[in-house]
Amino acid sequence: MEYNKKFPSSFLWGGATSSSQCEGAFDQGGKGLTLFDFMPVGKDRYQRMIELPLSDQEDMHYPNRIAIDFYHHYKEDIRLLAEMGIKAFRFSISWSRIYPTGEEEFPNEAGLKFYDGVINELLSYGIEPVVTILHYDIPLHLIKKYNGFESRKLVDYFERYAIVLFKRYGSKVKYWMTFNEINIMRYSPLDAGLLKNANLQTIFQAAHHEFLASAKAVASFHQLCDGEIGMMLGYEPAYPKTCAPEDILLSEQSENELLYFSDVQVYGYYSNTMKAFFRKNKIQINMEPEDEHILKLGKVDYLALSYYSSSVCSSNPQDQSSVKRGNMIFGIDNPYLKESEWGWTIDPIGMRIALNRLYHRYHIPLFIVENGIGVNEELDQEGKLHDDYRIAYLNDHLREVKKAMEDGVEVMGFLSWAPIDLVSAASGQMSKRYGFIYVDLDDEGKGSLKRIKKDSFYWYRDVIKNQGRNIEL
Ligand code: BG6
């Protein structure tokens, strides 16, 4: 049965990407290096990168260096996105294209020009640019010199970088977000540039610096631009394994740990429960007297989230051996759900649960800026790709978005991750494909880079054209 009600006409249908996973051209246009330029392919690529010297290794393939070469293909890619009728495109700006080391006095004009080109191209098709200021790719120099956001120095560098972007693009870009999945540093400290000392104390000190950097950027944005600026949360709702109160307590604690980050950015202060968490874990955050005031100024206009899967918590010690990691947090198998090839649970109803939980906690608009499924795919003999599983996945998730909106949740839009195949963040694989558009490139970096439309391309185009009326129930 088809869903005959439409989504609101203001709903932002679109897709999302990030600089390091798309652009390539790692050493062109004056760009500085980032950690991604030294990350090999493979499940344990973060670990391997830490163990390897941060210099070129012979015979090593570094997939982010070429990525899908969006740097040279962006006009073709945006034309394809426009053909799908998307209304919004999320991309991130590479900090090291604007400030190659992060410490220069003046920004790099060639880097700024590249994003002028991307933004103008989007606007020429009537597509809203949605900009992430930092999607993990901190300039390598700042990581080596300061251990990333462990140092308060990065607060000022980030603020200066953000202000340059607001002044240059603020009249054209209405939607912004500061840090991608700010809470993921709790599980993946390297995303905050913590190459060493990745213990809880350092992680939360770095988090404090990211909160300040974000807050300062938000305050400057509100002074300089019209438009909306949000925070971005990686969210997986946690479920208790049973109705045993111990399981329920554990799932609520796990959930709260994810949400401490959004609490600070939405409320503008550290909650009592977060302070208690610090005390219990002997974490002492170094703060300056003005920090509380800065955090208050940094309250965001909306909450952007990624949603891929849910997790299950069990207090039973016997279950501990089966705990594994999904996209973010650790949990045990959910016997009611299937998994993707990469072990991420597929839970469309979890989308409705997620949206309701977040809206009840924060009462500000939510923007879904990532949702999708990674699949190892190959073209058939006729050069086509029939990705009915992706259509089913997205259809089911969108159905639950619509239901959440009927529950009263304010949802600004839905950006699929990713409209075009790109390099996986966690594993560096090209073979973990998310796109409506196939890119001819393999895990070793071989291929023509040709773009080919999958079946889902036409399906998403119809969904947008019909404002979601053709979503199946
Ligand atoms: C999100 C990240 O957590 O998950 C993206 O913001 C990432 O950068 C996406 O690509 C999917 O993860 P992966 O590892 O499959 O690329």
Side-chain angles (χ1 to χ4, degrees):
M1 201 196 348
E2 285 195 349
Y3 210 99
N4 59 9
K5 287 193 196 148
K6 16 177 221 179
F7 281 71
S9 55
S10 58
F11 195 75
L12 293 166
W13 296 98
T17 61
S18 85
S19 45
S20 72
Q21 294 172 263
C22 265
E23 287 176 9
F26 80 108
D27 57 357
Q28 293 178 40
K31 179 182 168 294
L33 294 170
T34 74
L35 277 185
F36 285 96
D37 300 326
F38 293 97
M39 280 195 201
V41 185
K43 239 174 51 194
D44 57 351
R45 78 178 189 141
Y46 279 65
Q47 193 51 40
R48 276 178 73 204
M49 199 255 344
I50 293 174
E51 286 156 8
L52 294 165
L54 286 172
S55 57
D56 284 0
Q57 301 287 291
E58 228 177 286
D59 298 332
M60 182 82 85
H61 171 54
Y62 300 106
N64 300 83
R65 293 186 179 193
I66 330 169
I68 57 162
D69 198 26
F70 179 76
Y71 190 80
H72 295 107
H73 287 72
Y74 76 87
K75 289 193 179 172
E76 175 189 352
D77 292 344
I78 292 172
R79 183 171 45 71
L80 285 166
L81 297 174
E83 204 182 311
M84 262 193 294
I86 67 162
K87 312 266 183 250
F89 178 63
R90 172 179 175 228
F91 61 97
S92 70
I93 293 189
S94 161
W95 189 350
S96 67
R97 277 200 194 284
I98 310 302
Y99 284 101
T101 67
E103 291 200 293
E104 292 80 0
E105 199 177 336
F106 299 107
N108 169 32
E109 182 56 27
L112 288 167
K113 274 213 173 95
F114 168 65
Y115 296 107
D116 281 335
V118 172
I119 291 167
N120 290 339
E121 197 68 16
L122 289 168
L123 292 175
S124 75
Y125 290 104
I127 300 173
E128 290 288 353
V130 178
V131 170
T132 315
I133 298 175
L134 182 63
H135 195 120
Y136 305 147
D137 47 353
I138 301 168
L140 183 59
H141 170 83
L142 296 180
I143 292 177
K144 282 184 169 170
K145 186 164 170 190
Y146 298 111
N147 202 31
F149 274 89
E150 182 179 0
S151 163
R152 196 175 172 109
K153 273 261 182 203
L154 269 76
V155 176
D156 297 333
Y157 289 141
F158 182 87
E159 184 191 14
R160 188 179 58 171
Y161 158 58
I163 289 175
V164 163
L165 304 187
F166 299 149
K167 288 191 172 155
R168 180 83 168 213
Y169 312 122
S171 62
K172 295 182 174 176
V173 177
K174 288 193 211 140
Y175 301 99
W176 297 78
M177 59 199 84
T178 50
F179 288 85
N180 182 64
E181 293 183 335
I182 189 161
N183 54 332
I184 235 191
M185 73 168 86
R186 169 80 177 80
Y187 312 97
S188 183
L190 211 51
D191 293 331
L194 302 178
L195 202 51
K196 46 184 199 236
N197 317 330
N199 51 49
L200 271 189
Q201 167 65 40
T202 318
I203 289 171
F204 280 97
Q205 185 64 54
H208 180 64
H209 293 149
E210 289 203 0
F211 294 147
L212 292 175
S214 174
K216 286 184 159 208
V218 168
S220 302
F221 178 80
H222 286 144
Q223 272 176 5
L224 294 167
C225 311
D226 291 328
E228 295 179 43
I229 186 158
M231 60 127 342
M232 199 306 204
L233 180 79
Y235 188 49
E236 289 182 18
Y239 303 153
K241 182 185 174 191
T242 70
C243 53
E246 290 83 354
D247 283 357
I248 293 173
L249 193 64
L250 198 66
S251 67
E252 289 189 357
Q253 281 167 344
S254 157
E255 178 97 5
N256 279 331
E257 277 195 36
L258 270 185
L259 298 179
Y260 286 151
F261 291 77
S262 37
D263 287 351
V264 176
Q265 296 192 291
V266 176
Y267 300 142
Y269 57 82
Y270 283 102
S271 64
N272 277 347
T273 43
M274 191 167 186
K275 287 181 188 160
F277 172 82
F278 287 162
R279 277 196 300 277
K280 278 183 212 152
N281 289 286
K282 302 198 171 29
I283 297 167
Q284 284 203 318
I285 307 293
N286 291 322
M287 289 205 198
E288 301 292 332
E290 68 272 21
D291 289 4
E292 282 189 7
H293 177 66
I294 297 171
L295 293 181
K296 270 197 202 114
L297 295 177
K299 289 203 279 183
V300 291
D301 302 326
Y302 66 87
L303 186 147
L305 69 141
S306 63
Y307 172 79
Y308 292 94
S309 47
S310 53
S311 64
V312 177
C313 300
S314 166
S315 58
N316 183 341
Q318 283 173 354
D319 284 332
Q320 296 320 304
S321 57
S322 56
V323 167
K324 58 176 188 171
R325 186 171 174 169
N327 180 20
M328 269 176 283
I329 54 178
F330 293 83
I332 60 169
D333 283 341
N334 186 329
Y336 302 99
L337 298 174
K338 294 201 174 108
E339 289 183 347
S340 77
E341 286 169 74
W342 274 265
W344 297 12
T345 53
I346 300 174
D347 182 8
I349 294 176
M351 170 70 96
R352 181 176 179 186
I353 295 169
L355 294 171
N356 270 285
R357 282 190 188 174
L358 291 174
Y359 193 65
H360 289 151
R361 187 161 177 139
Y362 298 123
H363 299 282
I364 59 172
L366 305 180
F367 194 176
I368 302 154
V369 298
E370 287 189 32
N371 174 243
I373 182 163
V375 181
N376 191 349
E377 299 172 311
E378 279 176 26
L379 300 176
D380 69 10
Q381 285 183 337
E382 289 158 10
K384 300 241 184 308
L385 211 152
H386 305 297
D387 53 344
D388 46 328
Y389 38 85
R390 176 166 297 104
I391 294 174
Y393 178 99
L394 289 170
N395 179 88
D396 293 353
H397 284 75
L398 278 165
R399 181 191 64 221
E400 299 303 322
V401 173
K402 188 74 179 47
K403 288 187 183 169
M405 291 168 80
E406 286 168 358
D407 295 335
V409 179
E410 275 177 273
V411 183
M412 295 162 62
F414 177 91
L415 309 182
S416 81
W417 186 271
I420 182 164
D421 292 346
L422 36 65
V423 174
S424 154
S427 69
Q429 290 164 299
M430 264 311 292
S431 52
K432 191 178 185 186
R433 297 178 180 275
Y434 284 88
F436 303 120
I437 302 164
Y438 181 91
V439 177
D440 179 27
L441 190 69
D442 67 15
D443 286 345
E444 277 76 50
K446 297 195 183 75
S448 64
L449 286 171
K450 194 169 163 214
R451 276 60 172 155
I452 296 153
K453 297 170 198 168
K454 306 180 191 176
D455 285 359
S456 57
F457 179 98
Y458 303 100
W459 171 82
Y460 200 47
R461 186 192 61 186
D462 289 347
V463 167
I464 298 172
K465 199 161 97 198
N466 289 295
Q467 288 176 244
R469 263 181 297 226
N470 52 336
I471 305 264
E472 302 271 338
L473 279 182

